[in-house]
């Protein structure tokens, strides 16, 4: 073992491939929005929470360990059917397994909903904005801003999901003139931070508040030893896409939901 005065330099952490970096972001996204019920179904993560959250009520298909894909899909449909819920798969490119999952679902009558871009950037040195507060739990003001930015069918279930978010995590809240005007949630997984719940109150939009909470997550992530920060934004949400591009994020992958209505088959 080298002594205190040794000139030995610690080895730099390994450089992640693009696929490894995207897997880290996707793993953080799964971790950041925990469903009320989960089950491993041949490697896929089946999730159910009730309400309107697509992620918390869909299958994360990052890994497949089964031998009969069609039979596994049948089991997924049975589980959602028992709860009277529509069947949803989150199908990511290039990560979902098996590679032909999207085509299989299309052949069974599943339709596409909400194409999403996974955006990433290396974490860089950044100064924590002075007008952003950080906490390990959401304040009442944080919740008020966040809930105003999501659909009514999601609101009754959102606080229960947020209460399950695992540490290490941080709730960022931009404040102006004593009021919360923007929110974000950051969750650390391995070497990556995922940004969730980014929203701005209506009267404060286009004033830099969303950029401030995103910089705060980056500063927090760097303090936690993370090397990558990412987020997932609806591809057709052009204002959000422009904001994240201006902050240095680039597309690393995409996903969409495949959706089967109750009784469609």
């Amino acid at each position: 073992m080298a002594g205190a005065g040794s000139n030995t330099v610690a080895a730099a952490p390994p450089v992640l491939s693009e696929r490894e970096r995207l897997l880290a972001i996707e793993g953080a996204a799964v971790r950041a929005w925990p469903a009320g019920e989960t089950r491993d179904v041949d490697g896929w993560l089946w999730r159910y929470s009730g309400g309107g959250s697509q992620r918390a009520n869909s299958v994360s298909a990052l890994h497949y360990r089964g031998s009969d894909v069609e039979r596994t899909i049948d089991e997924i449909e049975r589980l959602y059917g028992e709860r009277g819920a529509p069947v949803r798969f989150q199908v990511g490119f290039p990560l979902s397994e098996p590679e032909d999952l999207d085509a299989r679902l299309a052949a069974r009558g599943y339709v596409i909903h909400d194409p999403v871009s996974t955006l990433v950037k290396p974490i860089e040195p950044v100064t924590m904005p002075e007008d952003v507060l950080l906490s390990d739990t959401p304040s009442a003001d944080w919740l008020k801003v966040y809930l105003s930015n999501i659909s009514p069918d999601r609101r009754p279930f959102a606080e229960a999901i947020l209460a399950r978010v695992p540490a290490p995590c941080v709730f960022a809240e931009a404040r102006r003139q004593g009021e919360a005007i923007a929110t974000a949630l950051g969750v650390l997984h391995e070497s990556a931070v995922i940004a969730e719940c980014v929203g701005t109150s209506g009267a404060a939009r286009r004033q830099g508040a969303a950029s401030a909470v995103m910089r705060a997550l980056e500063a927090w992530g760097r303090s936690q030893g993370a090397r990558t920060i990412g987020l997932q934004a609806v591809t057709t949400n052009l204002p959000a896409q422009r904001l994240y591009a201006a902050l240095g994020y680039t597309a690393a992958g995409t996903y969409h939901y495949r959706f089967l209505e109750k009784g469609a088959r």
Side-chain angles (χ1 to χ4, degrees):
M1 179 181 295
S6 171
N7 292 324
T8 301
V9 177
V15 176
L16 298 179
S17 68
E18 287 299 309
R19 182 178 179 83
E20 289 171 330
R21 185 169 65 153
L22 184 55
L23 270 171
I25 290 295
E26 292 291 346
V30 170
R31 177 178 170 83
W33 207 244
E37 289 184 66
T38 62
R39 187 174 301 187
D40 183 314
V41 182
D42 290 338
W44 290 340
L45 179 64
W46 174 87
R47 300 174 287 190
Y48 176 73
S49 299
S53 172
Q54 294 198 95
R55 188 184 311 175
N57 292 282
S58 64
V59 174
S60 173
L62 290 180
H63 307 288
Y64 184 69
R65 296 192 295 270
S67 58
D68 187 332
V69 179
E70 295 299 323
R71 184 178 299 173
T72 306
I73 296 173
D74 288 341
E75 175 63 9
I76 293 294
E77 292 180 358
R78 184 189 69 80
L79 289 170
Y80 282 121
E82 286 180 347
R83 288 151 182 81
V87 188
R88 293 186 185 92
F89 280 78
Q90 183 180 341
V91 186
F93 307 92
L95 298 181
S96 286
E97 297 178 354
E99 291 184 358
D100 65 349
L101 174 61
D102 197 56
R104 288 176 181 271
L105 295 174
R108 292 172 72 114
Y110 286 72
V111 296
I112 292 176
H113 192 244
D114 283 350
V116 172
S117 302
T118 299
L119 308 173
V120 302
K121 67 173 291 189
I123 286 183
E124 301 170 351
V126 61
T127 301
M128 180 67 70
E130 294 182 357
D131 57 353
V132 176
L133 301 180
L134 301 183
S135 176
D136 56 4
T137 57
S139 70
D141 285 348
W142 190 101
L143 285 169
K144 180 179 178 180
V145 174
Y146 169 64
L147 293 175
S148 73
N149 277 274
I150 62 176
S151 59
D153 63 337
R154 294 178 59 191
R155 292 171 190 164
F157 303 88
E159 289 190 54
I161 293 175
L162 290 166
R164 293 192 291 265
V165 173
C169 67
V170 68
F171 293 84
E173 176 183 316
R175 299 186 67 85
R176 303 271 171 83
Q177 298 179 341
E179 293 187 358
I181 60 170
T183 62
L185 164 65
V187 181
L188 179 68
H189 175 68
E190 297 178 350
S191 62
V193 172
I194 187 75
E196 302 280 354
C197 306
V198 181
T200 306
S201 60
R205 288 175 182 159
R206 296 182 177 84
Q207 297 178 25
S211 296
V213 291
M214 290 301 297
R215 289 196 303 274
L217 293 192
E218 193 169 350
W220 175 82
R222 185 175 177 85
S223 75
Q224 299 294 309
R227 290 181 287 156
T228 302
I229 185 168
L231 57 96
Q232 296 169 324
V234 175
T235 304
T236 55
N237 186 344
L238 298 183
Q241 294 285 343
R242 287 193 289 268
L243 166 67
Y244 300 129
L247 291 172
Y249 289 81
T250 59
T254 62
Y255 72 82
H256 56 233
Y257 292 96
R258 282 281 184 180
F259 179 92
L260 187 68
E261 282 280 11
K262 292 182 290 183
R265 295 179 62 241

